[in-house]
Amino acid sequence: MTLRLPDEHGRLRAYEPRTEPLALTPGAPLTSRTVFSAAHVVADPYADTTPDSPAAVDWDATLAFRRHLWSHGLGVAEAMDTAQRGMGLDWAGAAELIRRSAAEARSVGGRIACGVGTDQITAGTPAEVRAAYEEQLALVEESGAQAIVMASRALAAAASGPEDYLEVYGHLLRQASEPVILHWLGPMFDPALEGYWGSSDLDTATDTFLEVIAAHPDKVDGIKVSLLDARREVDLRRRLPRGVRCYTGDDFNYPELIAGDEQGFSHALLGVFDPLGPLAAEAVRVLDTGDVKGFRGLLDPTVELSRHLFRAPTRFYKTGVVFLAWLAGHQTHFTMVGGLQSARSLPHFARAYELADGLGLFPDPKLAEERMRNLLALYGVDQ
């Protein structure tokens, strides 16, 4: 049976759902690249909450999804932007998420890295920002997870220039007990981060970023770059000190960046690997054999879906990620913390379903079709 899906112009078009999924099962550990999926949280649909109240999380479903990612050989990047950090999930909720996920990782032998930010404060002096970072770094290290030092809205607001970033990050890196991942999140993901590293000029900001790394190369495992600019990432990657990795966060250009060139490659820490997890892992296993063409053949077709999910306003990509997790059967509902399920339109959902179904991403295509039909009916679309 066909589905009638609405397009962005309000017209209905016929779509023939796929009947068979891709046959993707857990395989050998990944060897040529370190790959993290930033993972979403599953809301408790029965909680009596409002968009501005603390998040109510379904812990069983949230941890089950992380086990799904680990089973395919992916690492989990926890309490990041994909988990609605600062968009429905406050620091108290993130702290609980870090504790639970780190414990789960230990129980199954999964790799985990967790976000360290400053979201327990909304504003403050650079010294207060530094103290907020220290509190979160201590919790992540106590949990046994690797730290990902995220960009700070409070620091972006408080800093008077590059010297404040050099001081705050330098102090934090000196305190870190193990090498961390530094995360540069662009303003397309969070407008409050405009001018990060002390300048809106990306070349100047890059110089400051590299100065932080050069001063503490032994404390930096790698950098995660989320600027959606492949050329800039490659240029930055080539300027890193020896031994410091680049983890691409470019959800528009990830296949070419992970494949790399004669001068190097990027590892991955990507929000789009939440819905693409099994397929992404299979592609990297192909790359592990040296088959770049086979890797690109698997991953290149996913870019259209990723670009759709991350289209402007990019910060609402989380809605599409959770929507696809619901269609795929990883959760029983399409409810998000903070009510963010309302952040995308029905035509956006319809196209996301069509692209994901065409890729064979749904383990049970019939279930995905039934859930899509229910959503369409809820919006008043007759079939």
mmCIF file of all heavy atoms in Angstrom, residues 5 12 24 40 66 71 92 140 170 173-174 204 237 264 267 272 279 295 297 308 335 345 349 357 365 381:
data_model
loop_
_atom_site.group_PDB
_atom_site.id
_atom_site.type_symbol
_atom_site.label_atom_id
_atom_site.label_comp_id
_atom_site.label_asym_id
_atom_site.label_seq_id
_atom_site.Cartn_x
_atom_site.Cartn_y
_atom_site.Cartn_z
ATOM 1 N N LEU A 5 2.228 11.333 1.328
ATOM 2 C CA LEU A 5 3.095 12.152 2.170
ATOM 3 C C LEU A 5 3.038 13.603 1.727
ATOM 4 O O LEU A 5 3.111 13.895 0.526
ATOM 5 C CB LEU A 5 4.549 11.658 2.075
ATOM 6 C CG LEU A 5 4.813 10.211 2.496
ATOM 7 C CD1 LEU A 5 6.279 9.857 2.263
ATOM 8 C CD2 LEU A 5 4.443 9.990 3.958
ATOM 9 N N LEU A 12 0.234 16.547 -1.559
ATOM 10 C CA LEU A 12 0.411 15.148 -1.185
ATOM 11 C C LEU A 12 0.984 14.374 -2.359
ATOM 12 O O LEU A 12 0.569 14.556 -3.502
ATOM 13 C CB LEU A 12 -0.922 14.538 -0.751
ATOM 14 C CG LEU A 12 -1.554 15.117 0.517
ATOM 15 C CD1 LEU A 12 -2.919 14.497 0.759
ATOM 16 C CD2 LEU A 12 -0.650 14.898 1.724
ATOM 17 N N LEU A 24 21.801 -5.719 8.736
ATOM 18 C CA LEU A 24 22.935 -5.181 9.472
ATOM 19 C C LEU A 24 22.964 -5.793 10.866
ATOM 20 O O LEU A 24 22.034 -5.623 11.649
ATOM 21 C CB LEU A 24 22.839 -3.661 9.580
ATOM 22 C CG LEU A 24 22.892 -2.890 8.257
ATOM 23 C CD1 LEU A 24 22.565 -1.423 8.485
ATOM 24 C CD2 LEU A 24 24.267 -3.031 7.605
ATOM 25 N N HIS A 40 20.810 10.382 21.743
ATOM 26 C CA HIS A 40 19.666 11.146 22.242
ATOM 27 C C HIS A 40 19.138 10.540 23.541
ATOM 28 O O HIS A 40 19.485 9.409 23.903
ATOM 29 C CB HIS A 40 18.546 11.186 21.202
ATOM 30 C CG HIS A 40 17.803 9.887 21.046
ATOM 31 N ND1 HIS A 40 18.270 8.832 20.285
ATOM 32 C CD2 HIS A 40 16.607 9.470 21.560
ATOM 33 C CE1 HIS A 40 17.401 7.836 20.334
ATOM 34 N NE2 HIS A 40 16.391 8.189 21.108
ATOM 35 N N ARG A 66 21.648 3.070 24.173
ATOM 36 C CA ARG A 66 23.104 3.081 24.236
ATOM 37 C C ARG A 66 23.672 1.675 24.077
ATOM 38 O O ARG A 66 24.696 1.490 23.418
ATOM 39 C CB ARG A 66 23.557 3.728 25.551
ATOM 40 C CG ARG A 66 23.471 5.252 25.466
ATOM 41 C CD ARG A 66 22.866 5.912 26.683
ATOM 42 N NE ARG A 66 22.785 7.356 26.458
ATOM 43 C CZ ARG A 66 21.805 7.947 25.740
ATOM 44 N NH1 ARG A 66 20.852 7.227 25.176
ATOM 45 N NH2 ARG A 66 21.794 9.263 25.577
ATOM 46 N N SER A 71 26.583 -2.300 20.869
ATOM 47 C CA SER A 71 26.556 -3.634 20.268
ATOM 48 C C SER A 71 27.089 -3.629 18.846
ATOM 49 O O SER A 71 27.563 -4.657 18.349
ATOM 50 C CB SER A 71 25.133 -4.210 20.295
ATOM 51 O OG SER A 71 24.306 -3.606 19.310
ATOM 52 N N ALA A 92 21.412 19.098 36.088
ATOM 53 C CA ALA A 92 21.030 18.018 37.004
ATOM 54 C C ALA A 92 20.668 16.757 36.231
ATOM 55 O O ALA A 92 21.078 15.644 36.581
ATOM 56 C CB ALA A 92 19.863 18.464 37.885
ATOM 57 N N VAL A 140 32.585 13.867 35.616
ATOM 58 C CA VAL A 140 32.845 12.958 34.493
ATOM 59 C C VAL A 140 34.027 12.054 34.808
ATOM 60 O O VAL A 140 33.983 10.836 34.564
ATOM 61 C CB VAL A 140 33.081 13.758 33.195
ATOM 62 C CG1 VAL A 140 33.620 12.845 32.087
ATOM 63 C CG2 VAL A 140 31.787 14.424 32.745
ATOM 64 N N GLY A 170 43.244 26.673 29.565
ATOM 65 C CA GLY A 170 44.550 26.257 30.074
ATOM 66 C C GLY A 170 44.452 25.725 31.485
ATOM 67 O O GLY A 170 45.037 24.682 31.821
ATOM 68 N N LEU A 173 42.672 22.254 31.399
ATOM 69 C CA LEU A 173 43.506 21.177 30.865
ATOM 70 C C LEU A 173 44.593 20.777 31.855
ATOM 71 O O LEU A 173 44.944 19.597 31.966
ATOM 72 C CB LEU A 173 44.114 21.595 29.531
ATOM 73 C CG LEU A 173 43.113 21.669 28.366
ATOM 74 C CD1 LEU A 173 43.762 22.270 27.127
ATOM 75 C CD2 LEU A 173 42.550 20.285 28.048
ATOM 76 N N ARG A 174 45.120 21.740 32.580
ATOM 77 C CA ARG A 174 46.116 21.385 33.602
ATOM 78 C C ARG A 174 45.507 20.518 34.693
ATOM 79 O O ARG A 174 46.189 19.662 35.273
ATOM 80 C CB ARG A 174 46.715 22.658 34.211
ATOM 81 C CG ARG A 174 47.702 23.388 33.299
ATOM 82 C CD ARG A 174 48.447 24.497 34.033
ATOM 83 N NE ARG A 174 47.562 25.579 34.435
ATOM 84 C CZ ARG A 174 47.269 26.636 33.665
ATOM 85 N NH1 ARG A 174 47.768 26.717 32.439
ATOM 86 N NH2 ARG A 174 46.475 27.598 34.103
ATOM 87 N N THR A 204 40.974 33.786 12.766
ATOM 88 C CA THR A 204 41.512 34.263 14.045
ATOM 89 C C THR A 204 41.122 33.313 15.181
ATOM 90 O O THR A 204 41.953 32.979 16.043
ATOM 91 C CB THR A 204 40.997 35.675 14.349
ATOM 92 O OG1 THR A 204 41.364 36.548 13.276
ATOM 93 C CG2 THR A 204 41.566 36.207 15.646
ATOM 94 N N ARG A 237 42.839 20.147 10.654
ATOM 95 C CA ARG A 237 43.359 18.802 10.918
ATOM 96 C C ARG A 237 44.851 18.717 10.614
ATOM 97 O O ARG A 237 45.630 18.101 11.356
ATOM 98 C CB ARG A 237 42.569 17.809 10.066
ATOM 99 C CG ARG A 237 42.857 16.355 10.284
ATOM 100 C CD ARG A 237 41.861 15.522 9.488
ATOM 101 N NE ARG A 237 42.177 15.454 8.066
ATOM 102 C CZ ARG A 237 41.313 15.047 7.123
ATOM 103 N NH1 ARG A 237 40.079 14.709 7.467
ATOM 104 N NH2 ARG A 237 41.681 14.994 5.865
ATOM 105 N N GLY A 264 46.004 12.506 5.700
ATOM 106 C CA GLY A 264 45.354 12.183 6.964
ATOM 107 C C GLY A 264 43.861 12.031 6.834
ATOM 108 O O GLY A 264 43.300 12.098 5.733
ATOM 109 N N HIS A 267 38.608 11.063 12.545
ATOM 110 C CA HIS A 267 37.778 10.110 13.258
ATOM 111 C C HIS A 267 36.373 10.717 13.302
ATOM 112 O O HIS A 267 36.099 11.680 12.583
ATOM 113 C CB HIS A 267 38.358 9.861 14.646
ATOM 114 C CG HIS A 267 39.761 9.299 14.608
ATOM 115 N ND1 HIS A 267 40.018 7.951 14.564
ATOM 116 C CD2 HIS A 267 40.970 9.922 14.595
ATOM 117 C CE1 HIS A 267 41.323 7.755 14.518
ATOM 118 N NE2 HIS A 267 41.921 8.934 14.534
ATOM 119 N N VAL A 272 24.496 12.455 13.694
ATOM 120 C CA VAL A 272 23.760 11.678 12.703
ATOM 121 C C VAL A 272 24.048 10.185 12.819
ATOM 122 O O VAL A 272 23.289 9.361 12.300
ATOM 123 C CB VAL A 272 24.072 12.184 11.278
ATOM 124 C CG1 VAL A 272 25.439 11.695 10.798
ATOM 125 C CG2 VAL A 272 22.970 11.769 10.302
ATOM 126 N N LEU A 279 24.511 1.126 10.190
ATOM 127 C CA LEU A 279 25.034 1.323 8.841
ATOM 128 C C LEU A 279 26.399 2.001 8.879
ATOM 129 O O LEU A 279 27.315 1.633 8.133
ATOM 130 C CB LEU A 279 24.046 2.152 8.010
ATOM 131 C CG LEU A 279 24.453 2.473 6.569
ATOM 132 C CD1 LEU A 279 24.776 1.212 5.794
ATOM 133 C CD2 LEU A 279 23.347 3.260 5.876
ATOM 134 N N PHE A 295 33.451 1.783 1.384
ATOM 135 C CA PHE A 295 33.022 2.642 2.483
ATOM 136 C C PHE A 295 32.174 3.792 1.977
ATOM 137 O O PHE A 295 31.078 4.057 2.490
ATOM 138 C CB PHE A 295 34.272 3.175 3.203
ATOM 139 C CG PHE A 295 34.024 4.336 4.128
ATOM 140 C CD1 PHE A 295 33.488 4.139 5.390
ATOM 141 C CD2 PHE A 295 34.342 5.637 3.741
ATOM 142 C CE1 PHE A 295 33.268 5.206 6.254
ATOM 143 C CE2 PHE A 295 34.132 6.699 4.593
ATOM 144 C CZ PHE A 295 33.583 6.487 5.849
ATOM 145 N N GLY A 297 30.611 3.929 -0.815
ATOM 146 C CA GLY A 297 29.394 3.394 -1.411
ATOM 147 C C GLY A 297 28.288 3.165 -0.399
ATOM 148 O O GLY A 297 27.099 3.315 -0.707
ATOM 149 N N HIS A 308 19.152 16.755 5.417
ATOM 150 C CA HIS A 308 17.756 17.087 5.696
ATOM 151 C C HIS A 308 17.536 17.263 7.197
ATOM 152 O O HIS A 308 16.934 18.254 7.634
ATOM 153 C CB HIS A 308 16.839 15.998 5.150
ATOM 154 C CG HIS A 308 15.394 16.227 5.456
ATOM 155 N ND1 HIS A 308 14.644 17.201 4.831
ATOM 156 C CD2 HIS A 308 14.558 15.625 6.345
ATOM 157 C CE1 HIS A 308 13.413 17.189 5.312
ATOM 158 N NE2 HIS A 308 13.333 16.239 6.229
ATOM 159 N N THR A 335 7.835 11.515 21.949
ATOM 160 C CA THR A 335 7.775 12.613 22.900
ATOM 161 C C THR A 335 9.201 12.976 23.269
ATOM 162 O O THR A 335 10.041 12.091 23.435
ATOM 163 C CB THR A 335 7.011 12.207 24.176
ATOM 164 O OG1 THR A 335 5.700 11.770 23.817
ATOM 165 C CG2 THR A 335 6.915 13.362 25.149
ATOM 166 N N SER A 345 8.234 20.379 11.175
ATOM 167 C CA SER A 345 6.928 20.302 10.543
ATOM 168 C C SER A 345 6.611 18.898 10.040
ATOM 169 O O SER A 345 7.498 18.049 9.896
ATOM 170 C CB SER A 345 6.875 21.264 9.351
ATOM 171 O OG SER A 345 7.760 20.801 8.326
ATOM 172 N N PHE A 349 9.046 15.773 8.665
ATOM 173 C CA PHE A 349 8.988 14.380 9.123
ATOM 174 C C PHE A 349 8.753 13.423 7.956
ATOM 175 O O PHE A 349 9.356 12.355 7.886
ATOM 176 C CB PHE A 349 7.873 14.206 10.154
ATOM 177 C CG PHE A 349 8.080 14.928 11.448
ATOM 178 C CD1 PHE A 349 7.026 15.586 12.065
ATOM 179 C CD2 PHE A 349 9.317 14.951 12.067
ATOM 180 C CE1 PHE A 349 7.196 16.253 13.262
ATOM 181 C CE2 PHE A 349 9.503 15.626 13.267
ATOM 182 C CZ PHE A 349 8.434 16.283 13.865
ATOM 183 N N ASP A 357 13.640 5.339 5.113
ATOM 184 C CA ASP A 357 13.066 4.101 4.611
ATOM 185 C C ASP A 357 13.774 3.666 3.331
ATOM 186 O O ASP A 357 14.066 2.475 3.145
ATOM 187 C CB ASP A 357 11.573 4.294 4.361
ATOM 188 C CG ASP A 357 10.885 3.003 3.940
ATOM 189 O OD1 ASP A 357 10.863 2.048 4.750
ATOM 190 O OD2 ASP A 357 10.378 2.951 2.795
ATOM 191 N N PRO A 365 10.357 -2.430 8.675
ATOM 192 C CA PRO A 365 9.744 -1.412 7.825
ATOM 193 C C PRO A 365 8.232 -1.295 8.006
ATOM 194 O O PRO A 365 7.672 -0.207 7.874
ATOM 195 C CB PRO A 365 10.102 -1.875 6.407
ATOM 196 C CG PRO A 365 11.316 -2.717 6.577
ATOM 197 C CD PRO A 365 11.134 -3.406 7.893
ATOM 198 N N VAL A 381 -4.195 13.902 7.783
ATOM 199 C CA VAL A 381 -3.918 13.509 6.409
ATOM 200 C C VAL A 381 -4.617 12.177 6.137
ATOM 201 O O VAL A 381 -4.294 11.150 6.733
ATOM 202 C CB VAL A 381 -2.410 13.364 6.147
ATOM 203 C CG1 VAL A 381 -2.158 12.938 4.705
ATOM 204 C CG2 VAL A 381 -1.698 14.666 6.462
#
